[in-house]
Amino acid sequence: MKVTFDKDGYVEMLIKEGDLPNSIELEDDDTIERKYLACYKLGFDGTKLVLDAEKVQRLESNLRAETLAYDLKKQVSSTDYKVLRHIRETALGIPTSISENDYLMLEAERESLVRRIREIEDGCQLETDINAILQEGYEIRQSQIDKDKTITDTVEVTVPELEKAINVLTEDINEDE
């Protein structure tokens, strides 16, 4: 069999018959597991391939992570229609198919899935508990409501005071004339 290796010394290509440019010839070995082909290196004696168990574990771990991320993405995608329907119904001002509380719960569940995907893909640690996500959103919305109320209160107090001040100035100007 003829074998080529990548820059790290792992098998890149292997053929049983034919010509393979820039390859070395080794004795045929029927014990090589094809699914782990990229985990084989040339043995110490240079006559056979040996399996790098650590690379196999990394490969399988990555495969499990990719499979989990894929499954989580499918779960998110499977609820897209519910979210889009709710947004459309709300925008049109027609009765929604799900209540606002159910919609928030759905979005919290989706956010939990997305955060789990990010943990897998980005290697970061995020809060994925649905109740904590709902609480986080509630606090942010409440903070915005409080901020808006403060602005409204300020405007409602300031505008009348400015009107009074303008009236006083106008009266003073009229008296001076």
Side-chain angles (χ1 to χ4, degrees):
M1 77 182 161
K2 295 189 178 182
V3 183
T4 61
F5 299 92
D6 65 16
K7 63 180 175 49
D8 297 320
Y10 290 97
V11 171
E12 185 173 46
M13 294 182 71
L14 179 145
I15 62 170
K16 293 269 187 176
E17 296 176 10
D19 191 29
L20 185 60
N22 302 318
S23 64
I24 64 167
E25 188 156 346
L26 298 175
E27 209 174 292
D28 282 354
D29 186 348
D30 292 332
T31 64
I32 293 175
E33 291 219 29
R34 300 286 181 190
K35 70 179 182 178
Y36 298 124
L37 191 59
C39 299
Y40 282 92
K41 280 187 155 188
L42 191 58
F44 180 71
D45 63 0
T47 63
K48 62 182 176 181
L49 298 176
V50 293
L51 189 61
D52 181 341
E54 288 180 15
K55 187 163 183 184
V56 169
Q57 286 178 335
R58 285 192 308 271
L59 179 74
E60 288 181 347
S61 177
N62 289 343
L63 184 58
R64 278 191 298 278
E66 288 174 16
T67 301
L68 178 57
Y70 175 79
D71 290 342
L72 292 170
K73 287 176 183 179
K74 275 180 38 179
Q75 288 178 47
V76 172
S77 293
S78 72
T79 59
D80 284 350
Y81 78 96
K82 289 181 181 180
V83 170
L84 294 172
R85 180 183 62 201
H86 185 81
I87 292 169
R88 183 179 55 258
E89 291 167 345
T90 301
L92 292 172
I94 61 176
T96 57
S97 303
I98 58 176
S99 70
E100 195 61 30
N101 283 340
D102 288 343
Y103 176 70
L104 287 175
M105 181 60 81
L106 173 63
E107 287 291 18
E109 290 167 358
R110 288 167 51 92
E111 180 62 19
S112 176
L113 294 170
V114 168
R115 289 180 183 188
R116 289 176 57 201
I117 293 166
R118 288 179 52 207
E119 285 181 335
I120 293 166
E121 293 180 346
D122 301 340
C124 56
Q125 192 69 26
L126 301 169
E127 179 60 67
T128 59
D129 178 70
I130 293 171
N131 291 322
I133 292 170
L134 284 168
Q135 183 63 35
E136 177 185 328
Y138 172 79
E139 290 170 3
I140 291 169
R141 287 190 307 279
Q142 195 59 47
S143 173
Q144 187 61 46
I145 290 169
D146 294 346
K147 182 179 172 183
D148 291 348
K149 182 160 178 23
T150 301
I151 292 169
T152 300
D153 290 349
T154 301
V155 169
E156 288 175 354
V157 168
T158 305
V159 169
E161 287 179 8
L162 286 173
E163 286 176 342
K164 286 180 189 175
I166 290 171
N167 288 338
V168 168
L169 287 173
T170 304
E171 289 174 7
D172 287 348
I173 291 172
N174 288 339
E175 289 176 7
D176 289 343
E177 290 178 352

